[in-house]
C-alpha cells in the first residue's frame, strides 16, 4: 500500500477514566475499567527477570503513598495504522505519529521497583514519592490520575541492566493491555493531531527539547534506543504523542517521565495555538549532559542549527519535563546562546535550584543571551509537609537522600523528593520572584 | 531582615535616623568631601522631603552627615562613630541616601545599612542599579530602592524609600521587588502565577518576536570572579593538600555525604597509602557516571600521582588527610561555608598549596 506512513496525522480516541476495579474480565464501560489482574500479569510476565509483580489500583484522594517510583506511562494502544505506540520496544520500528490510538485519559501505569545490584553516583535510582492526597499531592505527578501500580521484584541473580530493560517492557505492555480493552469500542471523543498549513504570517516556532542521557538509570529512549550518541534530530509532535520518547531516567525525583513525554506541556500548548497565534513546525531533540565544555558548546550549535534549517523564528526550550539542574544547565545555556546567535527569538523554561531561605544563586550557569526565561520556581520553597498515610505501595522503607537513614514510609514526610515535582510546578504555574 | 508580625509594643511614630553625604547635607560640594561625621537634630536637605513622605508614621530624629571622601578614607572609624550615635538615638529605622549613581556615596550608604541590619535596625537606602554600592550590597540582601541616575529622581525615590521604611519599621510584610521598587537583593521566593509555564513561555516568545516589552522571570546571576593564587615560591618544600568536590568517600559512606546539595564535608586519612584502592572507595556525587572512578579512584582524586611527585621531590609533602564534599547542585552559600571551613583547617595545619580535582 502506498503512503501508509509519514502523513503524521494522528487520531486519538479518548476514553475517560474515573475509576478502576479488579474484576474477572477486563472491560471498559462508563468511564470505569474493570481489570482482570491475572490477565494483566500474564500480558507482562517475564519470570526469568521479574520474579513477581504486585498490581495495585490507587485513586486520587486516597490516603496512599507510592514510593520507589521509577516511571509513569499513559495507557494507550494503536488501533489503526501500521506503526505502534511506544515504537521501538516491540517488533519492527517504523515512524510513528499516524493512524488512530485509543487513550485512557485520566489514568497511568506506574512502575515501582528496587534494583537488585548496589549503585552509587549519577547512575542510581533516586527516591521519588507520590502522595495521592494531602498537602503534597498537588506537587506529585500523577496524583490526580487513576493509577495501575506495578511493583516489580527482580529474579535473584539478575543484573540491573537486564532488570531495567524488563521494567521498560513491562510498563509499556501494561499500558497497551489496558488501552486495548477499548479496542472494539467507539471512542466518546476523537482528537485529531496534524500540523496543517496555517496563515504564513504567523511566527514559525520550534520546541527545542533537551533530553537526559548519561547511562543506565539516567537515560531517554528514542524509538527504543538510548540517546547516548544522539545528534540533534527532528520529531513531529505526533511522534511524541505516540510515545517515540520513553523515559529510563530515575536520577532525580523531578525527573522526566514517559507520561510526561507523551503529554509534554509545551507540545500540548504549541498544538493548541497552532494556527491561532503560532505556526508550530516541530520538535528538535538532543541530549544534554555532554561530557565536556566543548561538546556542550557543540551540542548547542547542533540544536540551534536544526531549528534554523527548519526556518524557525522562535525557539521554545525546556529540558524535557524534568527540568534543568547542574551539569545540564550548561548544555541548556549553550543552546539558548546558539539559537539567539542564529537569529531565533528564544524563550527557555528553567527551574531555580536554591535553598528555602531563597538567598542562593538560582542557576549554575548563564549566558547573557538568556534574556527571556520562564521560571518554574524551586527556590525559597518548601513543599508542604505530608502527613501519615494509611497505605504505602512500593517498598518497606524510604530514603529521601543517601545522607539520611532509611525510615518508615508511612510516617509524616517533610521532603522534596516528590515525583515529577518540576513538571507539576510548570503545570501549576509556579514561578519565582525577587522579594 | 525578613518580614515579621506586627508587635504589640510598636511605636506609634517611628524614630528615623537619616544619613546624607556632605553635599546633600548642605555642607558643600566636592571640596567638602572630607568633612568628618556630624550629627544634626531633625531633617536636613532632602530629608525634609523624606520626612513629609514618612509623616505621620515616621519622624526624622536626627541626620548623620559625612563626606564621601572622609568615609572612604576612614571607613571603620566612621562606622564605629555611627554605631555610637545609633546607641544614643535609638532609631527604629535607618535610611541612607538616596545615592543615585554617586559611587562613593553608594558604598557608604550600603556599608552603613549593612551595619544597621546587623544590629537589628531595619535599613533602607536608594541608588541607581549601576552604582557600585548596588553590586556590592545587593548580595548582602539589603533593601535598595531603585532610583534614577541623578537627583532629578529625588522625589519618587524618597517616596518609595519612605513607604518601604515604614513597612520595615513596623515589621509589616514586604512585597516583591517589583511591587516595592527595590533592586533584586538575591532573595527569591517561589510563587503561584496562576498560569502554566507553557502558556507563559509562548506568550513571552510572541512578545519577544514582536519586539514588545516583556520581563524575564529569572534574573541571571553574575558570579564572583576568583583570581588564581600566586605561584608557589618553592613547591619542593610545600605541604600540599588534596581537596575535592567529587564525592569520593570511604566505602559505606560513613559520613553520609549526600548525592547533591551537600551541606557538610568529610576528611579521610591517607597517610601510608600509596594509592587509593578500588573497592575501598565509593563515589556518591550524583552528577557523573562513576564507573571509571570506582575502577580507579585515583583518577578522581589523584593520590598516586601526588605520591609520585612527593617521591620525586617536586612537592614537599602531601597532607595526611584528603578533604571531600559533593559539588553536585551545591548551594553557593553552603559551598562558600564548606570552602571556608576546609581552608581554615588547611591553614591551621600549615598547608601551602591545594590540588582541587573537580568533576
Amino acid at each position: 500500500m502506498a503512503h501508509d506512513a509519514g502523513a503524521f496525522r494522528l487520531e486519538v480516541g479518548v476514553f475517560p477514566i474515573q475509576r478502576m476495579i479488579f474484576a474477572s474480565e477486563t472491560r471498559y464501560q462508563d468511564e470505569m475499567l474493570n481489570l482482570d489482574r491475572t490477565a494483566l500479569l500474564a500480558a507482562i510476565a517475564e519470570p526469568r527477570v521479574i520474579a513477581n509483580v504486585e498490581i495495585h489500583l490507587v485513586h486520587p484522594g486516597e490516603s496512599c503513598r507510592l514510593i520507589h517510583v521509577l516511571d509513569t506511562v499513559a495507557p494507550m494502544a494503536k488501533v489503526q495504522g501500521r506503526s505502534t505506540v511506544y515504537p521501538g520496544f516491540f517488533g519492527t520500528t517504523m515512524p510513528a505519529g499516524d493512524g488512530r490510538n485509543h487513550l485512557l485519559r485520566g489514568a497511568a501505569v506506574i512502575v515501582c521497583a528496587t534494583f537488585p545490584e548496589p549503585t552509587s553516583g549519577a547512575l542510581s535510582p533516586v527516591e521519588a514519592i507520590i502522595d495521592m492526597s494531602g498537602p503534597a499531592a498537588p506537587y506529585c505527578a500523577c496524583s490526580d490520575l487513576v493509577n495501575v501500580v506495578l511493583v516489580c521484584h527482580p529474579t535473584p541473580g539478575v543484573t540491573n541492566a537486564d532488570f531495567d530493560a524488563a521494567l521498560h517492557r513491562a510498563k509499556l505492555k501494561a499500558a497497551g493491555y489496558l488501552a486495548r480493552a477499548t479496542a472494539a469500542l467507539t471512542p466518546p471523543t476523537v482528537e485529531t493531531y496534524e500540523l496543517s498549513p496555517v496563515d504564513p504570517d504567523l511566527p514559525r516556532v520550534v520546541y527545542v527539547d533537551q533530553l537526559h542521557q548519561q547511562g543506565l538509570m539516567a537515560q531517554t529512549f528514542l524509538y527504543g534506543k538510548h540517546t547516548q550518541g544522539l545528534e540533534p534530530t527532528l520529531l513531529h509532535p505526533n511522534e511524541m504523542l505516540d510515545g517515540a520518547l520513553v523515559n529510563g531516567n530515575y536520577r532525580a525525583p523531578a525527573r522526566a517521565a514517559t507520561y510526561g513525554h507523551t503529554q509534554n506541556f509545551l507540545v500540548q500548548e504549541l498544538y493548541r495555538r497552532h494556527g491561532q497565534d503560532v505556526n508550530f513546525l516541530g520538535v528538535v531533540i538532543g541530549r544534554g549532559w555532554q561530557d565536556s565544555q566543548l561538546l556542550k558548546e557543540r551540542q548547542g550549535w547542533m540544536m540551534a542549527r536544526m531549528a534554523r534549517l527548519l526556518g524557525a523564528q522562535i525557539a521554545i526550550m525546556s529540558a524535557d519535563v524534568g527540568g534543568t539542574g547542574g551539569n545540564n544547565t550548561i548544555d541548556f545555556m549553550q543552546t539558548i546562546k546558539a539559537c539567539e546567535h542564529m537569529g531565533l527569538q528564544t524563550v527557555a523554561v528553567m527551574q531555580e535550584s536554591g535553598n528555602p531561605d531563597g538567598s542562593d544563586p538560582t542557576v549554575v550557569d548563564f549566558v547573557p543571551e538568556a534574556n527571556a526565561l520562564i521560571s518554574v520556581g524551586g527556590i525559597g520553597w518548601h513543599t508542604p509537609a505530608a502527613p501519615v498515610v494509611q497505605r504505602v505501595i512500593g517498598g518497606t522503607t524510604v530514603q529521601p537522600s543517601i545522607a539520611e537513614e532509611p525510615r518508615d514510609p508511612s510516617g509524616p514526610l517533610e521532603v522534596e523528593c516528590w515525583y515529577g515535582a518540576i513538571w507539576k510546578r510548570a503545570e501549576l504555574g509556579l514561578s519565582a520572584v525577587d522579594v | 531582615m525578613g518580614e515579621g508580625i506586627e508587635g504589640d509594643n510598636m511605636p506609634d511614630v517611628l524614630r528615623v535616623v537619616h544619613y546624607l553625604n556632605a553635599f546633600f547635607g548642605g555642607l558643600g560640594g566636592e571640596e567638602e568631601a572630607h568633612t568628618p561625621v556630624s550629627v544634626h537634630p531633625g531633617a536636613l536637605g532632602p530629608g525634609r522631603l523624606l520626612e513629609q513622605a514618612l509623616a505621620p508614621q515616621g519622624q526624622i530624629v536626627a541626620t548623620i552627615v559625612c563626606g564621601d571622601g572622609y568615609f572612604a578614607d576612614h571607613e571603620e572609624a566612621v562606622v564605629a562613630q555611627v554605631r555610637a550615635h545609633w546607641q544614643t538615638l535609638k532609631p527604629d529605622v535607618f535610611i541612607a541616601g538616596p545615592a543615585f549613581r554617586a559611587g562613593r556615596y553608594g558604598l557608604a550608604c550600603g556599608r552603613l545599612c549593612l551595619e544597621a541590619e546587623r544590629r537589628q535596625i531595619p535599613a533602607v537606602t536608594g541608588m541607581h542599579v549601576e552604582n557600585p554600592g548596588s553590586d556590592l550590597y545587593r548580595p548582602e540582601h539589603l533593601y535598595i530602592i531603585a532610583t534614577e541616575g541623578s537627583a532629578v529622581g529625588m522625589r519618587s525615590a524618597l517616596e518609595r524609600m519612605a513607604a518601604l521604611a515604614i513597612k520595615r519599621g513596623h515589621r509589616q510584610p514586604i512585597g516583591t521587588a517589583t511591587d516595592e521598587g527595590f533592586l533584586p537583593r538575591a532573595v527569591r521566593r517561589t510563587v503561584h502565577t496562576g498560569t502554566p509555564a507553557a502558556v507563559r513561555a509562548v506568550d513571552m516568545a510572541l512578545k519577544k518576536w514582536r519586539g514588545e516589552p516583556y520581563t524575564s522571570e529569572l534574573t541571571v546571576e553574575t558570579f564572583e570572579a576568583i583570581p588564581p593564587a600566586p605561584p608557589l615560591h618553592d613547591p619542593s618544600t610545600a605541604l600540599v593538600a588534596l581537596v575535592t568536590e567529587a564525592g569520593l568517600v570511604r566505602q559505606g559512606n560513613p559520613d553520609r555525604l549526600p548525592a547533591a546539595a551537600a551541606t557538610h564535608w568529610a576528611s579521610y586519612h591517607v597517610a601510608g597509602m600509596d594509592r587509593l584502592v578500588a573497592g575501598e572507595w565509593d563515589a556518591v556525587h550524583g552528577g557523573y557516571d562513576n564507573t571509571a572512578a570506582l575502577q580507579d579512584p585515583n583518577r578522581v582524586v589523584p593520590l598516586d600521582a601526588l605520591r609520585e611527585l612527593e617521591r620525586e621531590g617536586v612537592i614537599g609533602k602531601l597532607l595526611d588527610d584528603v578533604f571531600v564534599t559533593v559539588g553536585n547542585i551545591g548551594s553557593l552559600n553552603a559551598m562558600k561555608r564548606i570552602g571556608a571551613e576546609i581552608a581554615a583547617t588547611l591553614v591551621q595545619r600549615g598547608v601551602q598549596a591545594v590540588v582541587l580535582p573537580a568533576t
Side-chain angles (χ1 to χ4, degrees):
Chain A
M1 203 199 304
H3 201 170
D4 55 358
F8 296 110
R9 183 177 190 279
L10 180 66
E11 292 177 347
V12 178
V14 178
F15 293 83
I17 291 283
Q18 295 287 342
R19 187 158 177 75
M20 290 194 203
I21 55 165
F22 288 120
S24 58
E25 178 193 19
T26 299
R27 194 161 56 90
Y28 175 90
Q29 191 175 15
D30 300 332
E31 308 196 352
M32 179 159 107
L33 189 76
N34 290 335
L35 178 59
D36 177 351
R37 192 198 304 234
T38 314
L40 173 57
L41 275 174
I44 65 176
E46 288 200 39
R48 191 185 63 79
V49 189
I50 304 175
N52 170 33
V53 183
E54 303 165 34
I55 300 179
H56 305 271
L57 300 178
V58 297
H59 291 81
E62 272 187 71
S63 175
C64 177
R65 176 170 295 153
L66 311 179
I67 66 171
H68 308 337
V69 175
L70 295 180
D71 196 22
T72 54
V73 184
M76 57 185 186
K78 188 71 70 183
V79 295
Q80 278 172 30
R82 281 185 65 196
S83 62
T84 62
V85 297
Y86 306 114
F89 282 87
F90 312 104
T92 309
T93 300
M94 61 177 292
D98 284 311
R100 177 179 281 205
N101 292 351
H102 280 186
L103 171 72
L104 303 186
R105 182 167 289 163
V109 173
I110 298 183
V111 63
C112 302
T114 304
F115 279 85
E117 298 176 302
T119 57
S120 63
L123 308 188
S124 298
V126 175
E127 184 60 273
I129 302 173
I130 299 173
D131 264 19
M132 294 299 294
S133 65
Y139 305 99
C140 301
C142 301
S143 63
D144 51 351
L145 303 178
V146 181
N147 296 309
V148 179
V149 186
L150 312 177
V151 183
C152 299
H153 301 280
T155 301
V158 74
T159 64
N160 283 349
D162 284 349
F163 185 55
D164 191 46
L167 294 178
H168 294 309
R169 291 190 293 270
K171 71 191 178 191
L172 300 178
K173 282 180 184 168
Y177 174 85
L178 298 176
R180 273 195 303 277
T182 65
L185 305 178
T186 304
T189 54
V190 176
E191 297 170 354
T192 303
Y193 293 90
E194 61 184 330
L195 291 177
S196 42
V198 297
D199 177 353
D201 290 336
L202 290 176
R204 299 185 295 275
V205 183
V206 289
Y207 169 41
V208 176
D209 191 6
Q210 177 179 295
L211 306 175
H212 193 146
Q213 178 66 45
Q214 287 180 288
L216 186 67
M217 304 198 206
Q219 59 189 338
T220 308
F221 297 93
L222 170 65
Y223 279 95
K225 180 173 177 285
H226 66 72
T227 48
Q228 193 71 24
L230 178 75
E231 292 292 6
T233 190
L234 176 64
L235 287 182
H236 191 285
N238 287 2
E239 294 175 274
M240 288 181 71
L241 298 180
D242 240 355
L245 295 175
V246 165
N247 178 56
N249 171 23
Y250 320 131
R251 225 203 75 176
R255 61 187 60 137
T258 303
Y259 193 100
H261 286 306
T262 54
Q263 312 288 313
N264 181 290
F265 49 79
L266 283 165
V267 168
Q268 301 281 335
E269 178 65 9
L270 288 169
Y271 242 134
R272 190 177 70 79
R273 293 167 78 155
H274 178 66
Q276 179 186 317
D277 50 9
V278 303
N279 181 357
F280 184 18
L281 298 184
V283 185
V284 173
I285 57 164
R287 69 160 283 224
W289 287 266
Q290 298 282 332
D291 290 336
S292 70
Q293 182 68 24
L294 286 176
L295 288 174
K296 289 171 187 298
E297 289 176 18
R298 176 183 181 279
Q299 171 71 10
W301 287 112
M302 297 293 267
M303 294 282 263
R305 161 188 166 278
M306 182 69 69
R308 183 74 186 86
L309 286 170
L310 276 173
Q313 296 161 306
I314 291 173
I316 298 187
M317 287 180 57
S318 76
D320 55 49
V321 296
T324 48
N327 186 334
N328 72 331
T329 302
I330 303 170
D331 311 60
F332 197 73
M333 286 289 170
Q334 289 301 322
T335 307
I336 295 173
K337 177 179 171 180
C339 285
E340 285 282 335
H341 281 270
M342 284 192 150
L344 284 93
Q345 303 293 329
T346 307
V347 170
V349 180
M350 298 191 71
Q351 74 187 82
E352 296 189 52
S353 307
N355 58 11
D357 82 6
S359 64
D360 269 326
T362 58
V363 292
V364 302
D365 187 33
F366 78 95
V367 294
E369 290 84 355
N371 58 15
L373 300 175
I374 295 290
S375 167
V376 301
I379 188 165
W381 167 259
H382 264 312
T383 307
V388 171
V389 292
Q390 289 166 8
R391 185 182 175 204
V392 173
I393 294 170
T396 51
T397 60
V398 282
Q399 191 176 16
S401 153
I402 61 166
E404 298 172 48
E405 296 290 341
R407 55 179 142 145
D408 171 19
S410 64
L413 284 181
E414 207 166 343
V415 296
E416 293 300 340
C417 57
W418 301 107
Y419 176 74
I422 302 299
W423 165 20
K424 288 307 283 187
R425 286 176 199 164
E427 277 189 356
L428 290 169
L430 267 59
S431 185
V433 293
D434 285 287
V435 293
Chain B
M1 260 205 284
E3 62 197 55
I5 306 299
E6 201 167 348
D8 289 336
N9 50 3
M10 279 293 150
D12 292 338
V13 179
L14 294 167
R15 292 171 60 83
V16 177
V17 169
H18 189 204
Y19 176 83
L20 291 171
N21 71 359
F23 174 77
F24 283 106
L27 302 184
E30 192 59 29
E31 69 277 11
E32 298 295 340
H34 290 275
T35 311
V37 179
S38 58
V39 181
H40 308 263
L44 214 58
R48 298 195 180 92
L49 205 53
L50 176 62
E51 192 161 53
Q52 286 174 24
L54 288 164
Q57 301 194 66
Q59 187 184 15
I60 297 176
V61 293
T63 305
I64 300 175
V65 181
C66 181
D68 292 332
Y70 188 87
F71 188 99
D73 292 343
H74 309 88
E75 182 164 334
E76 296 311 316
V78 173
V79 168
Q81 286 178 56
V82 171
R83 274 203 306 261
H85 290 307
W86 286 335
Q87 287 198 329
T88 321
L89 297 165
K90 301 197 183 324
D92 298 311
V93 189
F94 178 67
I95 299 178
F100 305 107
R101 208 179 299 204
R104 291 185 307 175
Y105 191 15
L107 290 171
C109 289
R111 175 69 204 275
L112 291 174
C113 284
L114 182 61
E115 207 63 34
E117 296 285 0
R118 286 180 177 160
R119 275 152 189 79
Q120 277 71 53
I121 303 167
V124 173
T125 181
M127 57 187 89
H128 187 265
V129 67
E130 287 168 16
N131 190 307
S134 150
D135 276 352
L136 197 61
Y137 288 104
R138 286 195 292 132
E140 301 287 348
H141 318 311
L142 288 189
Y143 286 97
I144 304 173
I145 290 288
T147 72
E148 295 192 39
S150 73
V152 295
M154 182 65 86
R155 178 177 289 275
S156 68
L158 288 174
E159 282 170 357
R160 279 176 297 152
M161 287 166 68
L164 182 59
I166 288 164
K167 284 190 182 175
R168 296 215 58 220
H170 282 308
R171 306 288 197 272
Q172 289 165 348
I174 309 295
T176 66
T178 309
D179 295 343
E180 305 283 357
F182 56 82
L183 294 167
R185 55 184 200 107
V187 181
R188 286 175 66 79
R189 186 188 302 146
T190 295
V191 294
H192 281 272
T193 66
T195 309
V199 177
R200 306 202 309 279
V202 179
D203 288 347
M204 186 183 286
L206 290 175
K207 281 185 184 163
K208 190 174 173 180
W209 180 71
R210 294 183 195 120
E212 294 167 6
Y214 66 89
T215 307
S216 180
E217 294 180 0
L218 174 47
T219 312
V220 162
E221 298 287 338
T222 51
F223 293 100
E224 184 186 357
I226 311 284
L232 280 178
H233 178 63
D234 181 9
S236 69
T237 60
L239 179 59
V240 177
L242 260 170
V243 179
T244 185
E245 59 69 55
L248 194 82
V249 299
R250 291 309 295 240
Q251 193 59 259
N253 192 11
D255 301 285
R256 289 263 174 220
L257 283 182
T263 54
H264 69 292
W265 50 276
S267 68
Y268 300 105
H269 204 55
V270 294
M273 288 184 200
D274 204 39
R275 54 186 295 111
L276 303 177
V277 177
E280 293 178 0
W281 301 85
D282 194 1
V284 297
H285 185 294
Y288 66 95
D289 177 353
N290 63 7
T291 310
L294 298 185
Q295 279 165 3
D296 184 358
N298 298 280
R299 297 291 61 79
V300 175
V301 178
L303 183 68
D304 57 352
L306 281 154
R307 288 290 185 222
E308 206 174 308
L309 295 173
E310 201 177 31
R311 277 194 302 272
E312 290 169 359
V314 176
I315 61 168
K317 186 180 172 356
L318 186 68
L319 191 73
D320 287 344
D321 298 278
V322 297
F323 294 79
V324 180
T325 187
V326 168
N328 188 32
I329 316 193
S331 138
L332 188 65
N333 294 338
M335 289 298 144
K336 278 182 175 168
R337 178 180 50 74
I338 287 171
E341 287 170 4
I342 294 176
T345 310
L346 297 178
V347 167
Q348 196 181 27
R349 293 176 66 173
V351 172
Q352 283 125 2
V354 176
V355 177
L356 280 168
T359 51

